[in-house]
Amino acid sequence: MAAPKSRSTSRQPGRGSSRRSARPSSRLGDLERAVMEVLWSPPDDKAWTVREVHAQLAETRDIAYTTVMTVLDRLAKKAVVHQERDGRAYLYRAAASRGTMTADLMRETLSDFGRDSRESALVAFVEDASADDIAALKQALADLTGPDS
């Protein structure tokens, strides 16, 4: 039996979008975040059907199948998920990892402020960071700058 045809129908923002919104927006509502948590759960890069996402969410909340379908469709329109046709159903995957989306949100938030405000925000963030977070930041900076810096 032949495998079902799969055609990518990833959605991109409309023509009236600004340049900044051409990349996926990381600002998500509570239900959108819950859906993304399912899409990010193992195995990595799994394509999920609406039914599978609904089943996962229904374990912890009372939610209609059609609500999950609407949320996934909206996430596809925001380019936060990739939507592809598989026979009569759609399959969904996260367009970016959780880490990438978090970094995008941080960059997006910082870009809304002037240079002085951005520096102040970064200092405030680091001041409130845990020892583990600071160690991770130091390691990331060392990896970026290399041994010669």
Side-chain angles (χ1 to χ4, degrees):
M1 183 170 154
K5 279 189 172 180
S6 179
R7 173 175 71 87
S8 179
T9 58
S10 295
R11 297 186 177 179
Q12 299 298 321
R15 289 180 181 258
S17 304
S18 69
R19 177 181 298 215
R20 195 163 157 223
S21 64
R23 68 175 187 235
S25 172
S26 301
R27 297 177 193 218
L28 303 175
D30 291 338
L31 186 51
E32 290 173 323
R33 272 195 305 275
V35 167
M36 291 306 298
E37 289 298 328
V38 172
L39 296 180
W40 284 321
S41 64
D44 290 342
D45 205 33
K46 171 184 174 20
W48 295 77
T49 64
V50 174
R51 187 168 313 284
E52 292 169 326
V53 174
H54 176 259
Q56 289 289 315
L57 293 173
E59 290 179 7
T60 58
R61 61 173 69 205
D62 184 25
I63 188 166
Y65 176 89
T66 53
T67 300
V68 175
M69 186 169 45
T70 300
V71 170
L72 283 164
D73 188 59
R74 288 182 180 166
L75 289 170
K77 287 177 182 174
K78 291 180 179 182
V80 175
V81 302
H82 294 295
Q83 177 189 59
E84 62 186 68
R85 188 88 163 154
D86 185 24
R88 292 179 51 194
Y90 282 102
L91 297 175
Y92 297 88
R93 293 177 213 271
S97 69
R98 180 187 333 238
T100 299
M101 280 194 70
T102 301
D104 285 347
L105 176 60
M106 293 170 71
R107 279 189 289 273
E108 187 177 315
T109 301
L110 288 172
S111 72
D112 290 341
F113 298 100
R115 182 169 174 77
D116 293 339
S117 296
R118 285 185 359 206
E119 289 175 9
S120 298
L122 287 169
V123 168
F125 174 76
V126 173
E127 285 176 346
D128 291 340
S130 69
D132 288 343
D133 290 343
I134 290 171
L137 285 169
K138 284 181 179 178
Q139 182 61 52
L141 288 171
D143 291 347
L144 287 173
T145 56
D148 297 334
S149 296

